[in-house]
Amino acid sequence: MLQEEEERRLKEEEEARLKYEKEEMERLETQRVEREKWQQLEAKDLGRRKEELEELYLLEVCYPEAEKLKRENRLLSQWKHYIRCDGSPDPSVLQEMNTFISLWKEEKNETFEEVIEKSKLVLNLIEKLKLILLETPRYDLQDKNVKQYQGSIQELQELLHYKFNVATEILLRQASTLADLDSGNMEKIIQDENVTLYVWANLKKNPRYKSIKFSGTDIGFEIPRMLATCDIALRLLHTHYDHVTPLFPVPRPLKVEQTSTVTKDVKDQVKNIAEEAISKEYQEEPKQPENGSITVPEEVQVEEEGDAELQMHSVEEVLEAIKFKVEMKLLSDTVTAAQLLLIENCYEKPELFGKNEVDLLQFTTLGGVYHVNLLELPPQCKPVKGWMIVEILKDGLQKYMYPPETTEDLETENTFPPIEVTLKVHENVIFFEDPMVARWDPEGKLWRTDGIRRVTYNSEERLITFNLETFGPVTLIQDTHINMPYQSWELRPLDVNKVLLTVTTVFTEIQIQIKENLCMLASIKLKHKEHFSVLKGKWMTPIPFIIALKEVGLNIFPTGHSHFYVVINNKVPLVELKAYRQMALLSSAFAFSWSRWNVRCDSNKVIFQVKEHLNQEPDTEYPNWTLLMFSGDRAQRLKINEYSETFSEALKDETEFHSTLYHMVKDFASGEAIEKIRGSNCQFIDSVCHMLLSTRLLSYS
C-alpha cells in the first residue's frame, strides 16, 4: 500500500517536472521569438531613422518660418504706428516716452473725467510695453531694453496714480457745492471701463451718520463714531487693473550669439564654395606657352565674358541658397531652445514667506485693486462777490491718520475700532472658491492677509464685506493653481487650420478655438452649465489671449514654479517638447486625447490617445482611439486600450516602431489626412504648439 502511494507520488512528480520543463521550453522559445522580432523591429527602425528625422525636419521648418513672420509683423506694427501720426508715442522709443511723460506732468488742474480719458492712452501704452517684453523672444531682447521698458511702465503707473490723486483733491475742494440735499454730505460716483471712483465727504459731521452707502449700489462703509465727527473724506478708487503688485522680473535673455554665429557660418561656407568655383575656373583655363601669348578672336572673348557672367550669377544663387539654409537652421535651433525654456521647471524653491504674507507664485490678484483711502477734507471753495476762492494746500491731498501713530497708552482695537467695507467683485472675474482679501504693505512691498477680519462673501450678489484695520490698497486673491492638475483634455480638428482644445478641471470645462495665429475662448462651463464670459468670441494672438484668461481667473497655464504647489505627473522637458511640436504638426487631421495610462509610464515617456478626425462633427459614441507611447525618439502603438484592466508597454500586434509621431500615424492614416498635414499653415501649427506648451497637458493632467 505504501509502495503504491510512493510510486504514484513519484509518477506525479515526474509528470509535473516534465510539464514544467515543457512550459519552460515553450516560454523560452516564445521569449526568443519575441526577442528576435523585437531586434528585427529595432534594426528596421534604426535603418530608416535618418530618413524619418530628415523628413520631420522638413516639416518642422514651419516653426522658424512662423518666427520670421512674427518678426516681420513686429516691424510692420512699428511702421504702421509711425505712419499713423496720431500723436501717441511709440512705447519702444525712450525719447518719445520721456517727452509724453514730461508733457503730461506739466498739465495742471485736470478733472477726474479728463484724467480717466487720458488714462485710456496710458493703459494702452503700458499694455503694449508688457506685450513687447512677453512677445519678443528672449534671444532678441537686450538687458538695456528690458530695463528701459520696465522703467517706462513704472513711470507711467506712478504718474497715472498721482494724477488720480490730484484730480480727487480738485473734486473734494468742490465738495460743499456738490452736497446732497438730504444728508448734507457730498457723495460722488464716476464710472468708466477701467476705473470706478466712489468718494464721500463728511461736511455735516453728524455723529449718528456712521453708515455710508453709495446710492444705487450696495457698496459702502461703516465708520466709527469718532470719525463721523471729523473733517474727513472716504475714497474708494477701484482700478480694474493692478498697478500695485511689482512687475515680475523678465527672464534674462538667452545668450545666443545669433548674428555673429550666422555671419561666421555663412562666411565660412561661402568662402569654401567660392574657392571651389575659382579653382575649377582656373583648372579649365588653357595654359599659355612660355614663349608667347595666344591670339584669341574677338567673338570668342565676348562668348567667354558672357559665360563668366553666367557662372558668377550661378555662384551667387548658390551662395544665397546656402546662406538662407544656414540662417533657417540656426533660427530653428534657437526657436527650439526658447520653446524648451517654456516648459522647464525651476529647481530652486521660491523664497519662504512669513506668516500672513502672500506668495504671488501661489496666489493671483483678481479683479484689480481697491484703493480704500481715508483723507483729510481740503479747504472748500467759497463764493466771494461772484468769484470762487479756494485755499490750495502746498502738500496736496493728505491722508487722515487712523488709527493715530501714537497709541501706546490706549487699547487700539477698542478705542479705534476697524472700519467695515463692502465691495463689489468685478463682474468679469470668476472665483471658483470664496475670494480671500489681502492688503498692501508699502514697507515690505508685498500683499498681506493680516489686519482684515470678519470676511463674508455673498456669491449671488458678488458682494464681499470685511473689517479693515488700516487704510490702503486692497485686493482679492485666488489660488493660482485651483484648476490644476487637469482631469482630462482633448485636441480636435474643426476645419482647415482650425482646432478645438478642451481642458476639463475639477471646477470647469474650458474650450479654446485656435486658427492661424489666433485663439478664442469658445465656451466655459461651470457646474456643467454654460457661463457667460466677456472674452467669449474675441480672437487674439496667443500671448494676449493667455494674459486675458489669467486676468479673469481662468488660469490653466502653469509656470516653472507650479510643480512646487501642484502634485503633477512630471515628464522630461525634452520629451514633452518633442511631443507637443509633433502633435501640433498633426493637429489639422488628427484628434488627441488624455490617457489614464500616462501616469503609469516613466517620466521619459508620454502616453496619449490619437485618432484620425477629418469631419467636423464630434464623436457621439466611444471613438476608436489608438493608444500611442512616445519617448521623443521612438513612437509605438500599445497593445492595451484605455479600458484595459492592467498597464503594459507591449507593442500592438502587426505594428512597428517609428522615430516620429508623424511616421507612426502614417501607418494607419488616409491619404486625405496626410495631405491636410502637409498643407497646414505654419502660423497655425506654431499657435497650437504654443498653447500646448503653455498648458503642459502631458505633465499637468
Side-chain angles (χ1 to χ4, degrees):
M1 190 73 178
L2 290 172
Q3 187 177 357
E4 289 179 1
E5 287 182 2
E6 181 66 18
E7 288 176 356
R8 188 168 61 252
R9 185 181 64 79
L10 291 172
K11 186 179 179 182
E12 288 175 356
E13 286 181 357
E14 181 65 16
E15 288 175 353
R17 184 183 65 79
L18 292 172
K19 184 181 178 183
Y20 171 76
E21 287 179 356
K22 184 182 178 183
E23 288 176 350
E24 185 66 14
M25 287 179 66
E26 288 175 353
R27 185 182 67 81
L28 291 173
E29 180 63 18
T30 303
Q31 282 185 349
R32 186 189 65 77
V33 171
E34 288 293 330
R35 188 165 55 251
E36 285 182 0
K37 184 180 177 183
W38 189 271
Q39 288 171 351
Q40 288 172 2
L41 290 172
E42 283 187 326
K44 190 174 182 180
D45 177 42
L46 194 62
R48 64 190 173 199
R49 179 182 294 273
K50 185 180 178 182
E51 182 185 340
E52 289 186 350
L53 291 177
E54 285 176 355
E55 191 173 356
L56 177 67
Y57 175 76
L58 293 175
L59 288 171
E60 288 190 336
V61 165
C62 61
Y63 292 113
E65 284 178 354
E67 186 56 43
K68 284 187 73 174
L69 287 173
K70 288 179 193 174
R71 286 180 178 179
E72 290 170 7
N73 287 336
R74 287 195 290 271
L75 292 172
L76 182 62
S77 177
Q78 288 181 326
W79 173 247
K80 283 181 178 178
H81 180 275
Y82 176 75
I83 62 175
R84 198 181 301 130
C85 298
D86 58 358
S88 63
D90 183 342
S92 64
V93 180
L94 183 60
Q95 293 84 351
E96 292 188 26
M97 288 303 298
N98 288 340
T99 302
F100 173 80
I101 290 169
S102 299
L103 290 174
W104 197 27
K105 281 181 179 177
E106 293 172 4
E107 292 183 25
K108 306 294 182 184
N109 300 323
E110 292 173 287
T111 65
F112 210 94
E113 289 82 357
E114 288 172 337
V115 175
I116 283 179
E117 193 58 35
K118 191 66 170 279
S119 74
K120 293 175 182 176
L121 173 58
V122 174
L123 292 172
N124 183 255
L125 292 172
I126 292 171
E127 185 181 349
K128 283 182 178 179
L129 284 165
K130 287 181 177 178
L131 280 178
I132 290 173
L133 289 171
L134 289 170
E135 289 188 327
T136 307
R138 296 186 198 178
Y139 48 82
D140 282 346
L141 271 178
Q142 296 181 7
D143 283 333
K144 64 176 184 178
N145 295 125
V146 173
K147 289 177 183 176
Q148 173 195 320
Y149 300 150
Q150 288 184 328
S152 296
I153 290 170
Q154 195 165 353
E155 275 194 84
L156 288 171
Q157 290 177 345
E158 290 172 356
L159 180 57
L160 179 58
H161 192 67
Y162 168 76
K163 287 287 185 177
F164 278 134
N165 285 343
V166 173
T168 302
E169 183 188 4
I170 292 170
L171 181 63
L172 286 174
R173 285 185 206 145
Q174 306 165 18
S176 56
T177 63
L178 301 171
D180 181 66
L181 295 175
D182 295 332
S183 66
N185 296 318
M186 175 263 204
E187 178 190 305
K188 183 80 171 175
I189 300 175
I190 301 175
Q191 200 159 6
D192 184 71
E193 58 182 313
N194 299 313
V195 179
T196 306
L197 172 73
Y198 304 89
V199 65
W200 174 84
N202 190 16
L203 300 171
K204 283 296 182 182
K205 295 183 275 295
N206 185 344
R208 291 179 296 177
Y209 198 87
K210 297 186 294 180
S211 183
I212 302 156
K213 191 174 180 181
F214 291 93
S215 58
T217 73
D218 292 310
I219 297 169
F221 305 91
E222 284 286 338
I223 61 174
R225 184 184 179 91
M226 64 179 300
L227 287 179
T229 58
C230 298
D231 280 323
I232 61 164
L234 281 165
R235 180 183 74 168
L236 172 58
L237 176 62
H238 180 199
T239 58
H240 303 170
Y241 48 82
D242 179 4
H243 285 177
V244 176
T245 304
L247 294 170
F248 275 103
V250 175
R252 290 187 66 78
L254 285 173
K255 297 299 179 184
V256 178
E257 302 296 335
Q258 188 181 14
T259 308
S260 60
T261 309
V262 169
T263 307
K264 186 177 182 303
D265 284 2
V266 170
K267 280 183 177 179
D268 289 347
Q269 293 205 30
V270 167
K271 185 180 177 183
N272 293 337
I273 295 293
E275 286 175 354
E276 286 177 14
I278 290 167
S279 63
K280 187 177 179 182
E281 186 179 341
Y282 276 118
Q283 286 172 7
E284 291 175 355
E285 283 182 2
K287 291 184 179 179
Q288 296 180 357
E290 292 179 7
N291 58 353
S293 59
I294 299 174
T295 304
V296 182
E298 189 177 339
E299 292 84 357
V300 176
Q301 285 183 350
V302 172
E303 284 179 12
E304 286 183 354
E305 285 175 7
D307 290 343
E309 286 179 9
L310 186 63
Q311 192 174 16
M312 286 302 296
H313 182 69
S314 177
V315 169
E316 285 175 5
E317 285 183 351
V318 171
L319 298 183
E320 283 298 317
I322 292 170
K323 183 179 177 181
F324 176 78
K325 186 177 179 181
V326 173
E327 285 177 347
M328 289 300 284
K329 176 68 172 68
L330 288 167
L331 182 57
S332 177
D333 292 345
T334 310
V335 168
T336 303
Q339 289 176 334
L340 188 59
L341 285 174
L342 287 175
I343 57 174
E344 282 191 333
N345 293 329
C346 297
Y347 295 105
E348 293 184 8
K349 284 190 175 183
E351 59 179 296
L352 294 174
F353 287 83
K355 188 179 180 182
N356 300 318
E357 294 178 352
V358 177
D359 178 1
L360 288 173
L361 294 173
Q362 185 178 5
F363 295 95
T364 303
T365 64
L366 289 178
V369 175
Y370 302 84
H371 297 265
V372 183
N373 305 116
L374 183 63
L375 307 168
E376 291 182 3
L377 193 61
Q380 297 298 294
C381 297
K382 295 178 181 178
V384 177
K385 295 181 180 179
W387 292 81
M388 292 297 288
I389 297 176
V390 64
E391 179 187 353
I392 299 176
L393 299 176
K394 183 181 178 182
D395 296 329
L397 196 64
Q398 296 296 305
K399 294 179 181 178
Y400 186 92
M401 295 308 298
Y402 179 87
E405 292 180 351
T406 55
T407 57
E408 295 145 358
D409 302 331
L410 301 170
E411 205 175 311
T412 308
E413 188 174 340
N414 295 329
T415 312
F416 304 101
I419 183 173
E420 185 180 280
V421 184
T422 300
L423 304 175
K424 181 91 170 179
V425 177
H426 197 292
E427 60 183 356
N428 294 336
V429 175
I430 299 172
F431 282 95
F432 297 99
E433 293 177 344
D434 289 357
M436 294 179 282
V437 186
R439 64 175 181 85
W440 180 248
D441 177 6
E443 293 181 2
K445 302 289 182 186
L446 46 74
W447 293 101
R448 303 182 63 91
T449 55
D450 56 348
I452 299 163
R453 294 179 298 161
R454 297 179 184 174
V455 180
T456 58
Y457 179 58
N458 184 335
S459 58
E460 291 183 2
E461 300 293 330
R462 298 179 69 83
L463 292 172
I464 190 162
T465 303
F466 53 90
N467 286 357
L468 187 64
E469 293 178 4
T470 56
F471 290 87
V474 171
T475 192
L476 306 179
I477 59 175
Q478 179 171 255
D479 185 351
T480 303
H481 308 98
I482 197 165
N483 283 309
M484 301 176 207
Y486 322 126
Q487 291 187 320
S488 64
W489 59 269
E490 182 184 281
L491 181 69
R492 176 163 52 87
L494 290 178
D495 205 345
V496 179
N497 296 321
K498 188 174 183 180
V499 297
L500 180 70
L501 174 63
T502 303
V503 179
T504 305
T505 74
V506 173
F507 295 99
T508 182
E509 181 189 274
I510 300 171
Q511 291 192 330
I512 298 167
Q513 281 189 23
I514 306 168
K515 69 171 183 180
E516 296 179 358
N517 64 331
L518 300 172
C519 303
M520 178 195 74
L521 180 64
S523 167
I524 172 171
K525 291 179 181 177
L526 299 178
K527 297 177 182 178
H528 306 290
K529 293 181 181 178
E530 193 71 23
H531 178 80
F532 171 77
S533 173
V534 69
L535 297 178
K536 192 173 178 181
K538 292 185 178 179
W539 290 97
M540 292 178 263
T541 52
I543 290 176
F545 176 72
I546 290 170
I547 293 170
L549 280 187
K550 287 180 177 180
E551 287 177 348
V552 299
L554 298 174
N555 193 345
I556 52 170
F557 308 101
T559 66
H561 292 95
S562 293
H563 64 286
F564 291 117
Y565 307 100
V566 186
V567 178
I568 66 168
N569 176 28
N570 197 30
K571 299 295 181 180
V572 173
L574 189 58
V575 174
E576 218 178 333
L577 173 64
K578 288 182 177 180
Y580 295 145
R581 283 169 65 97
Q582 295 181 40
M583 285 164 67
L585 283 172
L586 306 174
S587 61
S588 56
F590 285 85
F592 296 88
S593 179
W594 165 86
S595 170
R596 69 192 183 102
W597 301 119
N598 189 41
V599 297
R600 297 291 303 275
C601 63
D602 299 335
S603 62
N604 58 358
K605 297 171 185 172
V606 294
I607 296 177
F608 47 84
Q609 299 180 85
V610 63
K611 174 184 184 297
E612 185 175 308
H613 191 100
L614 299 177
N615 60 328
Q616 297 182 31
E617 296 300 322
D619 298 301
T620 52
E621 299 178 359
Y622 291 111
N624 187 24
W625 292 98
T626 297
L627 209 57
L628 290 189
M629 184 168 72
F630 183 55
S631 65
D633 298 317
R634 174 181 288 174
Q636 69 181 74
R637 296 175 70 175
L638 295 181
K639 196 171 186 177
I640 59 170
N641 60 38
E642 192 65 13
Y643 309 103
S644 299
E645 293 183 2
T646 57
F647 175 66
S648 169
E649 293 187 3
L651 185 70
K652 186 178 175 66
D653 296 336
E654 306 301 324
T655 63
E656 299 177 352
F657 301 134
H658 285 280
S659 299
T660 74
L661 291 178
Y662 170 71
H663 294 92
M664 185 73 254
V665 300
K666 273 182 78 174
D667 284 354
F668 56 88
S670 66
E672 185 184 352
I674 298 301
E675 284 302 312
K676 271 196 169 186
I677 291 167
R678 289 175 176 166
S680 296
N681 179 281
C682 68
Q683 288 182 303
F684 161 74
I685 294 170
D686 184 71
S687 297
V688 174
C689 183
H690 188 89
M691 200 55 60
L692 294 174
L693 290 166
S694 300
T695 51
R696 296 194 63 186
L697 301 171
L698 295 171
S699 281
Y700 280 80
S701 59

